[in-house]
Amino acid sequence: MENFDGIFSLFIACVEIVLIINLLIFSEKNFVNKIFILTIFVLFLYQFWEFLICFAGLDNSIFIYAAITTITFLPPLVLFSVLNLYEFKSKANLLIFIPALFFTGYYFIYMNQLEATKCAVMYAAYYYPLGDLYGVFYYLPVLISIIIIIKKIRSPLDKTKKEQSVILLTGFLLTFVPSTILYFVYPNYTEIVESVLCKFAFILALTFFYFVLKNKTSIPK
């Protein structure tokens, strides 16, 4: 039977690149929108790497390093987007990228330890050092982002910003709640969490797409 491992990643990557092209053509190019578009691009790039690893058979350490380090920047980008949306403007915001830079450097040094242990149609499983620490880093910025959005929804906001907040919160919950449930019901979920989560994050990409199209208020850098 023909190998279809990773083919779902290609499908998602193709849809996400179409979303990006449409946003580049039709959306307002304010700073917040640009960050959200960049976040969708990171999701696209990861799916593309996973397709190459699992379907094209390019499963050497260089491509695995590219996939893992690409998706490593998703959580801080998400938090950076939320902070800028609500105008928490500070050069200190860039510090949230330090863990991503650390893991990028660390995995470069230990690249030969990176391994794709399993490929399937819907996901890929990886081995990488410091897995538990990486997991804490990965979820913490997302959790902080959700908390900020919830607090903003409960605070006085203009109608447009409140609608934007509800849209984003819905996308976050539909993406991360199913993944959290799987963590408790599937024993080996930690081995495939990044890959599966990025499939769920297709919902987040669609949410960001809708948000960027509707976000017409220019927010300077």
Side-chain angles (χ1 to χ4, degrees):
M1 181 180 294
E2 188 176 354
N3 178 23
F4 286 102
D5 291 351
I7 199 69
F8 192 55
S9 295
L10 177 62
F11 169 75
I12 292 179
C14 290
V15 176
E16 287 173 343
I17 199 64
V18 170
L19 298 180
I20 292 168
I21 292 171
N22 276 273
L23 291 177
L24 291 176
I25 296 172
F26 298 110
S27 69
E28 181 181 300
K29 307 307 183 294
N30 61 61
F31 185 57
V32 169
N33 283 354
K34 289 178 181 178
I35 306 172
F36 277 104
I37 293 171
L38 178 60
T39 306
I40 299 174
F41 178 76
V42 168
L43 289 168
F44 152 76
L45 194 57
Y46 172 78
Q47 298 299 343
F48 180 70
W49 289 130
E50 188 168 296
F51 165 73
L52 292 181
I53 291 168
C54 289
F55 185 82
L58 301 177
D59 57 351
N60 60 63
S61 57
I62 294 176
F63 287 92
I64 297 170
Y65 173 79
I68 292 176
T69 55
T70 295
I71 206 59
T72 295
F73 283 90
L74 177 63
L77 264 177
V78 166
L79 179 54
F80 191 68
S81 304
V82 170
L83 290 173
N84 279 275
L85 171 64
Y86 296 115
E87 301 185 48
F88 293 112
K89 298 176 183 177
S90 171
K91 292 183 179 179
N93 290 348
L94 296 174
L95 295 176
I96 64 179
F97 291 95
I98 289 179
L101 294 173
F102 165 77
F103 282 106
T104 298
Y106 184 87
Y107 288 146
F108 180 80
I109 296 172
Y110 294 97
M111 191 186 303
N112 62 336
Q113 296 186 27
L114 305 180
E115 182 182 359
T117 57
K118 183 179 180 181
C119 279
V121 175
M122 297 290 292
Y123 65 85
Y126 302 103
Y127 170 78
Y128 45 89
L130 301 181
D132 292 338
L133 181 61
Y134 182 89
V136 172
F137 149 77
Y138 202 86
Y139 279 101
L140 188 58
V142 173
L143 179 60
I144 294 173
S145 299
I146 293 173
I147 292 172
I148 291 173
I149 296 172
I150 292 174
K151 290 183 68 174
K152 285 296 179 179
I153 290 175
R154 297 179 64 181
S155 67
L157 284 176
D158 63 73
K159 182 180 178 181
T160 299
K161 189 61 69 71
K162 189 174 286 285
E163 289 176 352
Q164 290 175 333
S165 301
V166 171
I167 290 169
L168 290 177
L169 180 61
T170 301
F172 274 108
L173 294 180
L174 290 176
T175 298
F176 291 99
V177 169
S179 179
T180 303
I181 293 172
L182 284 175
Y183 175 81
F184 290 103
V185 301
Y186 186 69
N188 298 321
Y189 184 64
T190 54
E191 299 176 5
I192 61 174
V193 58
E194 288 83 10
S195 179
V196 173
L197 187 56
C198 284
K199 301 300 183 297
F200 282 120
F202 178 63
I203 299 171
L204 202 60
L206 293 174
T207 303
F208 289 172
F209 173 76
Y210 181 77
F211 168 85
V212 171
L213 286 179
K214 294 293 185 179
N215 185 31
K216 303 294 184 180
T217 304
S218 295
I219 302 175
K221 181 177 179 180

